[in-house]
Amino acid sequence: MFWKYTRFQWKLTLVNRKNWFIATFLLLFFFLYFLYYGQEGPLTMYDKKKMEMQLSYNVFDYLNLERHDIPEVQEVFELYKDLQSLLGMQVWHMAGGEDPDQYIEDGLEVNRIRLEIHELGNRGIPDHLVVPVDEILKEEALLHYIKDNDLPLTSESFLTNDYVTNAVSMMSGLLFLLILLIGGNEILVQDGKYRTVLKGMPIPFMQKITSKVVVQSIAIFSFLVIGLFIGIVYLTTNVEDSAFSFPILMYHDESFVAISTSRYLLYLFIGFAFVTVFILLLSVLMNMFFRHAVANILIGLGFFLLPDMVRALGWETTVLHPIKFIDIHGVITGDLAVALDNPFMNYWNALLCLSIGCVILIAIIFALNKFSYKRIPKNAPLEKAF
């Protein structure tokens, strides 16, 4: 009976216009994003390094004001002279496209000097010109990966990865949550439209929920993967130097490690799968309380935004931070860990918390169904509410 009901759910999914809207959006999102984003394009490594050099040069104006009076500032000034010279050499190497090994060595030395300046307390440097330690560690991880894997470094080396990570960053989190909430806002109440058909398929409630969640998860996840694949095909045929051999940063053990693009996509899809199942189970639970599609969407969005609203009120409640695991891209890249200043916000903790969350939701759904009954009409036998 389970497979018969599952086939019925697939038929409902295929004839539902809402699902086709979601499918069309997911299939075209990455392609259209890359098409639009390609009109301007992300900054090349040469552009980024040149901007970094110019920004760093502004520090001298502040150091000159105090270096003659404070010995520590003079020490920072001397270090910054070496740092600025190395940044200039990096720009020169990147512009000429020659000696990438020396570019990497200069970059590692720049990071060493910046960490030494941090140890001196960044004396004389205004806060808005201080390079955070997290950014230094990110650059360090990328340079070591390129060096260890002997990758050919050019100004456009990270261009394709920037396209992909920027697009995924926009999809992950709030937008993907909204898609899942729209897809699952009637996951339980839609059965009321087909009571006559379903009377011929007596199936236990938890098997029915399993079938619904599996069908909806496979449908949404498949369109997401295919849509990203379409976008990547577009990149490989329309972007110069569209190589995916260069790394993407991942937050791990309170630091950053560089991983291959294929490994990043594997972690990303596994994370999206966990998030999909969790949100659809949450939709089932909300359907049991609220028989209104719009209410389910608004409550789901409020659930995701709850940590931000609490922080906006001036309260820092770390117990709410795991809610943000729904933004799986921010978890992988460490953006959430840095923004929330919470090293617990890493990928493996995300999978663990989402798994525990799924188990808790299943237990609540089972308990509610077990103990929720209604009588219709008088003297009639008990009938389950769901």
Side-chain angles (χ1 to χ4, degrees), residues 330-343:
V331 171
I332 294 175
T333 59
D335 293 342
L336 281 175
V338 173
L340 299 174
D341 192 23
N342 187 352

Side-chain angles (χ1 to χ4, degrees), residues 171-184 272 275 278-279 282-283 286 297 299-305 323 326-327:
M171 170 60 70
S172 179
L174 188 60
L175 180 57
F176 191 59
L177 171 65
L178 182 60
I179 291 170
L180 292 173
L181 289 173
I182 292 174
F272 271 135
V275 171
F278 176 80
I279 297 302
L282 182 63
S283 295
M286 289 190 294
I297 295 175
I299 293 170
L301 292 176
F303 173 75
F304 177 73
L305 296 174
I323 295 175
I326 295 171
D327 181 6

Side-chain angles (χ1 to χ4, degrees), residues 307 317-326 342 344-345 353-354:
T317 310
T318 55
V319 71
L320 296 177
H321 287 176
I323 295 175
K324 305 299 287 185
F325 281 140
I326 295 171
N342 187 352
F344 180 77
M345 303 296 289
C353 288
L354 288 170

Side-chain angles (χ1 to χ4, degrees), residues 4-46:
K4 183 178 179 180
Y5 184 82
T6 301
R7 287 195 299 270
F8 176 71
Q9 286 299 314
W10 275 116
K11 291 178 182 179
L12 290 183
T13 301
L14 293 174
V15 300
N16 192 321
R17 285 178 293 181
K18 178 184 66 177
N19 290 331
W20 280 111
F21 168 78
I22 293 174
T24 303
F25 180 82
L26 290 174
L27 289 173
L28 296 178
F29 174 82
F30 293 100
F31 168 73
L32 294 177
Y33 182 87
F34 295 148
L35 186 64
Y36 171 79
Y37 197 53
Q39 296 176 0
E40 297 182 1
L43 294 174
T44 63
M45 286 186 64
Y46 173 76

Side-chain angles (χ1 to χ4, degrees), residues 80-100:
Y80 242 93
K81 287 198 300 185
D82 296 337
L83 186 149
Q84 194 67 21
S85 175
L86 290 167
L87 287 175
M89 291 302 299
Q90 280 192 295
V91 172
W92 185 80
H93 287 307
M94 188 56 65
E98 299 177 357
D99 203 359

Side-chain angles (χ1 to χ4, degrees), residues 1 4-5 8 11-12 191-202:
M1 189 56 65
K4 183 178 179 180
Y5 184 82
F8 176 71
K11 291 178 182 179
L12 290 183
D191 280 1
K193 302 175 183 178
Y194 306 99
R195 288 188 181 276
T196 305
V197 177
L198 294 176
K199 282 183 179 179
M201 287 186 284

Side-chain angles (χ1 to χ4, degrees), residues 90-385:
Q90 280 192 295
V91 172
W92 185 80
H93 287 307
M94 188 56 65
E98 299 177 357
D99 203 359
D101 292 337
Q102 190 58 47
Y103 173 92
I104 294 172
E105 295 301 327
D106 290 344
L108 294 173
E109 182 63 16
V110 165
N111 292 335
R112 187 196 66 78
I113 293 174
R114 281 177 170 161
L115 290 174
E116 187 176 346
I117 292 173
H118 269 280
E119 292 175 359
L120 295 172
N122 293 294
R123 293 294 299 273
I125 305 175
D127 291 341
H128 69 279
L129 291 176
V130 172
V131 179
V133 174
D134 293 325
E135 296 300 321
I136 299 172
L137 296 178
K138 288 179 181 180
E139 182 74 11
E140 189 88 356
L142 289 174
L143 292 173
H144 277 297
Y145 186 96
I146 294 170
K147 182 179 180 180
D148 295 342
N149 291 274
D150 196 25
L151 298 177
L153 193 62
T154 66
S155 181
E156 290 78 23
S157 294
F158 287 89
L159 204 58
T160 311
N161 284 356
D162 287 343
Y163 274 105
V164 173
T165 53
N166 288 338
V168 172
S169 175
M170 181 170 286
M171 170 60 70
S172 179
L174 188 60
L175 180 57
F176 191 59
L177 171 65
L178 182 60
I179 291 170
L180 292 173
L181 289 173
I182 292 174
N185 63 354
E186 295 179 325
I187 193 169
L188 188 59
V189 298
Q190 67 178 354
D191 280 1
K193 302 175 183 178
Y194 306 99
R195 288 188 181 276
T196 305
V197 177
L198 294 176
K199 282 183 179 179
M201 287 186 284
I203 180 174
F205 178 77
M206 293 308 296
Q207 288 188 24
K208 180 168 68 172
I209 295 303
T210 301
S211 175
K212 287 176 174 290
V213 171
V214 168
V215 169
Q216 197 72 16
S217 298
I218 293 176
I220 293 177
F221 188 73
S222 298
F223 289 126
L224 175 70
V225 174
I226 295 172
L228 182 56
F229 176 76
I230 292 172
I232 290 176
V233 171
Y234 170 79
L235 282 181
T236 56
T237 55
N238 292 273
V239 177
E240 287 186 31
D241 199 14
S242 56
F244 288 93
S245 57
F246 284 84
I248 294 175
L249 288 168
M250 178 181 182
Y251 184 73
H252 180 67
D253 284 344
E254 300 184 32
S255 185
F256 293 90
V257 294
I259 60 175
S260 65
T261 306
S262 58
R263 190 175 170 191
Y264 162 79
L265 291 176
L266 175 62
Y267 287 160
L268 182 72
F269 289 141
I270 292 174
F272 271 135
F274 274 74
V275 171
T276 301
V277 173
F278 176 80
I279 297 302
L280 290 178
L281 286 172
L282 182 63
S283 295
V284 171
L285 182 61
M286 289 190 294
N287 268 205
M288 297 176 77
F289 284 109
F290 311 101
R291 298 301 184 101
H292 196 284
V294 177
N296 291 337
I297 295 175
L298 293 177
I299 293 170
L301 292 176
F303 173 75
F304 177 73
L305 296 174
L306 182 61
D308 299 312
M309 292 186 288
V310 171
R311 292 186 72 199
L313 294 174
W315 303 330
E316 191 62 47
T317 310
T318 55
V319 71
L320 296 177
H321 287 176
I323 295 175
K324 305 299 287 185
F325 281 140
I326 295 171
D327 181 6
I328 199 66
H329 169 79
V331 171
I332 294 175
T333 59
D335 293 342
L336 281 175
V338 173
L340 299 174
D341 192 23
N342 187 352
F344 180 77
M345 303 296 289
N346 63 59
Y347 180 74
W348 301 112
N349 286 337
L351 297 189
L352 177 62
C353 288
L354 288 170
S355 300
I356 294 173
C358 289
V359 173
I360 292 174
L361 287 173
I362 291 171
I364 295 174
I365 292 169
F366 177 81
L368 283 176
N369 176 67
K370 193 73 174 176
F371 300 109
S372 296
Y373 296 91
K374 64 180 180 179
R375 289 182 182 273
I376 54 168
K378 186 179 179 180
N379 301 324
L382 288 173
E383 179 182 330
K384 291 187 177 181

